[in-house]
């Protein structure tokens, strides 16, 4: 069978290609020279499968999308608390290049606007690193995320430096508030070079899929961020990633995202897919017009909105049966699916409301794919209480979904004796 996924992506891209509104960014002169009709869409799954259509292998500059990853690197290097002392995580509602800081603290409002991104950039690599050493550290990170060596567009870099008065003004303001200490010229130059790294939509989809995959690059298997770092980064992307239209984006698309004035948008849906689009025609906020359309369609058609309400959890107690008879009878509770807090609550409620008649009980996890941390604790606590009530509790766990089954009373749960 030929997979329908690429055909579906092509259909979405064709439908959005008719839109020709918006213009490439021109405040960086070199960006205005791109072909405005280039258009590519790519999607990467958590197991590293890549689907793409159109100009998804055409290189363009990453621009603001780099801000999200550089922020992740700052959090990875310094820890969240230290980063928060210099950059807040509040959506600003201001344009990306707004010259403003929080009045009470002097901090930029978030790391996705230029003031926050320049501050984050300057935190990387410790106090003794050179400005270009800092660029190299961020470049290394971007290459690790893409799983290949990425080039830099020197023309775009130089071009941005001829028109960077605003970013220089922001950097001077930041230094006057003690948020950066290096020379504003050097910091802005290295930051602009970070923005001039060349990527394709395919690269970006894989980079997004690394976030989707809790920080592990799905193709190379390299762990780039920890799960906690990714959770924080995705939260900031969700609330601040789409310039001053972040609120619209959350309601119409609902996927943590970041856009750049080079025409790229990435979206990372936790546990599912990384998506990237490339189309240089931008709206008034600086977001790619076709990119937004693609994301809106995918979110709607594929139910990818983060707030999409999942079908009500079905009972995770798949069946119960009795094995053996008389005093030796064992009540086997067969659990199934992926068990999180809600599923575990159902099991516990059932055990509490309908005490089992048999004295011997086996919890059969053969049909369980995954047991989330809180569900594991809840299940173990239930078995501890059942033991206190006089039950003999066993575990059937051929796939080891509940390793180290210690209910906390010093006696590990045992498998069912083979005689049963
Ligand atoms: N290099 C650009 C700047 O700082 C990035 C802006 C963007 O993509 O939003 O102005």
């Amino acid at each position: 069978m030929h997979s329908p996924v690429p055909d579906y992506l092509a259909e979405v891209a064709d439908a959005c290609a008719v839109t020709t509104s918006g213009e490439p960014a021109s405040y960086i002169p070199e960006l205005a020279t791109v072909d405005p009709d280039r258009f590519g869409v790519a999607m990467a799954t958590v197991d590293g499968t890549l689907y793409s259509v159109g100009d998804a292998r055409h290189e363009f500059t990453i621009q603001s999308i780099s801000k999200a990853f550089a922020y992740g690197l700052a959090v990875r290097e310094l820890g969240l608390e230290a980063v928060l002392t210099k950059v807040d995580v509040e959506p600003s509602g201001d344009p990306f290049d707004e010259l403003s800081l929080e009045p009470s603290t002097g901090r930029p409002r978030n790391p996705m606007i230029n003031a926050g991104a320049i501050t984050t950039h300057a935190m990387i690599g410790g106090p003794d690193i050179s400005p270009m050493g800092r660029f190299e550290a961020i470049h290394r990170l971007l290459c690790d995320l893409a799983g290949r060596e990425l080039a830099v567009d020197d023309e775009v870099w130089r071009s941005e430096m001829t028109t960077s008065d605003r970013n220089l003004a922001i950097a001077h303001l930041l230094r006057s508030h003690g948020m950066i200490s290096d020379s504003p010229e050097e910091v802005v130059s290295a930051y602009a070079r970070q923005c001039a790294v060349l990527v394709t939509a395919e690269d970006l989809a894989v980079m997004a899929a690394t976030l989707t995959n809790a920080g592990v690059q799905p193709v190379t298997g390299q762990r780039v961020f920890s799960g906690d770092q990714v959770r924080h980064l995705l939260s900031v992307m969700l609330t601040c990633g789409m310039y001053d239209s972040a609120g619209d984006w959350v309601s119409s698309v609902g996927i943590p995202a970041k856009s750049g004035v080079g025409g790229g948008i990435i979206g990372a849906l936790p546990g599912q897919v990384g998506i990237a689009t490339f189309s240089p025609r931008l709206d008034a906020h600086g977001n790619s017009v076709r990119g937004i359309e693609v994301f809106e369609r995918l979110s709607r058609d594929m139910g990818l909105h983060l707030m999409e309400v999942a079908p009500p959890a079905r009972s995770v107690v798949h069946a119960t049966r009795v094995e053996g008879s008389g005093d030796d009878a064992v009540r086997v509770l067969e659990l199934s699916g992926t068990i999180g807090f809600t599923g575990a609550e159902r099991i516990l409620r059932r055990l509490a409301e309908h005490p089992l008649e048999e004295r011997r009980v086996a919890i059969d996890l053969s049909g369980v794919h995954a047991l989330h941390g809180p569900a594991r604790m809840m299940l173990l606590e239930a078995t501890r209480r059942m033991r206190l009530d006089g039950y003999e509790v066993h575990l059937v766990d051929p796939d080891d979904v509940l390793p180290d089954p210690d209910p906390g009373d010093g006696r590990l749960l045992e498998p069912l004796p083979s005689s049963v």
Side-chain angles (χ1 to χ4, degrees):
M1 184 204 72
H2 168 73
S3 163
V5 175
D7 300 341
Y8 168 69
L9 275 191
E11 221 179 282
V12 171
D14 283 350
C16 298
V18 296
T19 303
T20 53
S21 55
E23 291 301 329
S26 57
Y27 76 100
I28 298 174
E30 192 63 23
L31 290 185
T33 66
V34 300
D35 174 356
D37 293 319
R38 291 253 180 219
F39 186 25
V41 182
M43 184 185 262
T45 62
V46 284
D47 62 5
T49 305
L50 190 61
Y51 299 101
S52 68
V53 292
D55 296 320
R57 293 192 182 156
H58 179 79
E59 290 190 323
F60 59 99
T61 53
I62 188 168
Q63 297 299 339
S64 267
I65 298 171
S66 67
K67 294 173 180 173
F69 297 118
Y71 179 60
L73 181 58
V75 172
R76 186 176 94 184
E77 283 189 2
L78 291 126
L80 179 57
E81 255 177 65
V83 175
L84 281 174
T85 60
K86 294 204 163 165
V87 184
D88 200 1
V89 289
E90 280 304 322
S92 70
D94 289 333
F96 70 97
D97 56 356
E98 188 69 13
L99 226 140
S100 79
L101 303 176
E102 256 175 20
S104 53
T105 61
R107 291 181 301 176
R109 297 216 189 253
N110 69 65
M112 304 296 163
I113 53 172
N114 286 9
I118 292 170
T119 309
T120 314
H121 169 98
M123 292 174 98
I124 286 164
D128 300 327
I129 198 164
S130 68
M132 278 306 150
R134 210 173 268 141
F135 159 75
E136 275 152 27
I138 297 168
H139 182 231
R140 180 74 261 137
L141 172 90
L142 298 175
C143 295
D144 287 347
L145 286 159
R148 74 176 185 101
E149 289 307 304
L150 301 171
V152 177
D153 190 327
D154 286 312
E155 293 304 310
V156 171
W157 177 46
R158 275 195 274 274
S159 177
E160 176 157 0
M161 290 313 294
T162 63
T163 56
S164 56
D165 296 324
R166 251 194 120 75
N167 281 343
L168 284 169
I170 290 172
H172 279 281
L173 184 68
L174 288 167
R175 196 159 71 154
S176 75
H177 280 80
M179 293 298 151
I180 65 172
S181 48
D182 289 339
S183 122
E185 286 73 16
E186 286 183 331
V187 170
V188 169
S189 174
Y191 159 77
R193 198 162 170 77
Q194 160 193 324
C195 293
V197 169
L198 283 163
V199 285
T200 66
E202 287 195 351
D203 291 327
L204 288 177
V206 175
M207 293 162 92
T210 305
L211 304 182
T212 293
N213 196 30
V216 177
Q217 214 275 13
V219 181
T220 63
Q222 183 184 352
R223 174 163 290 287
V224 182
F225 296 120
S226 72
D228 284 352
Q229 288 156 2
V230 167
R231 194 186 57 194
H232 176 72
L233 178 48
L234 291 177
S235 312
V236 177
M237 285 166 65
L238 183 66
T239 50
C240 310
M242 295 300 282
Y243 303 122
D244 41 340
S245 71
D248 273 350
W249 178 267
V250 174
S251 67
S252 63
V253 177
I255 297 176
K258 183 72 201 91
S259 63
V261 293
I265 302 183
I266 59 165
L269 191 64
Q272 299 202 46
V273 281
I275 302 170
T277 56
F278 166 54
S279 166
R281 293 179 183 277
L282 309 182
D283 65 13
H285 302 286
N287 295 319
S288 165
V289 181
R290 286 180 185 165
I292 293 177
E293 276 192 32
V294 170
F295 272 93
E296 283 177 351
R297 276 179 185 255
L298 291 178
S299 171
R300 195 174 55 233
D301 297 357
M302 296 303 194
L304 298 182
H305 196 294
L306 209 58
M307 300 302 164
E308 182 86 22
V309 179
R314 286 218 320 258
S315 173
V316 286
V317 183
H318 175 65
T320 83
R321 61 176 200 277
V322 180
E323 300 214 345
S325 57
D327 281 354
D328 287 339
V330 180
R331 168 67 59 174
V332 183
L333 296 178
E334 291 176 25
L335 308 186
S336 68
T338 297
I339 306 181
F341 169 81
T342 324
E345 186 275 337
R346 284 188 170 225
I347 300 166
L348 269 49
R349 182 153 34 102
R350 176 170 175 152
L351 289 169
E353 287 174 1
H354 307 285
L356 303 171
E357 280 170 23
E358 298 74 13
R359 194 187 55 82
R360 301 176 75 198
V361 179
I363 297 177
D364 184 351
L365 301 177
S366 323
V368 172
H369 315 302
L371 196 60
H372 293 181
R376 175 180 188 279
M377 306 291 293
M378 290 162 78
L379 217 52
L380 286 173
E381 176 61 12
T383 60
R384 190 183 72 82
R385 294 184 183 204
M386 287 171 79
R387 277 176 170 174
L388 288 175
D389 290 346
Y391 290 101
E392 177 186 313
V393 188
H394 297 274
L395 201 62
V396 180
D397 187 13
D399 298 324
D400 215 17
V401 292
L402 204 171
D404 187 27
D406 180 359
D409 55 10
R411 285 182 298 137
L412 292 189
L413 295 171
E414 301 281 348
L416 259 185
S418 50
S419 56
V420 179

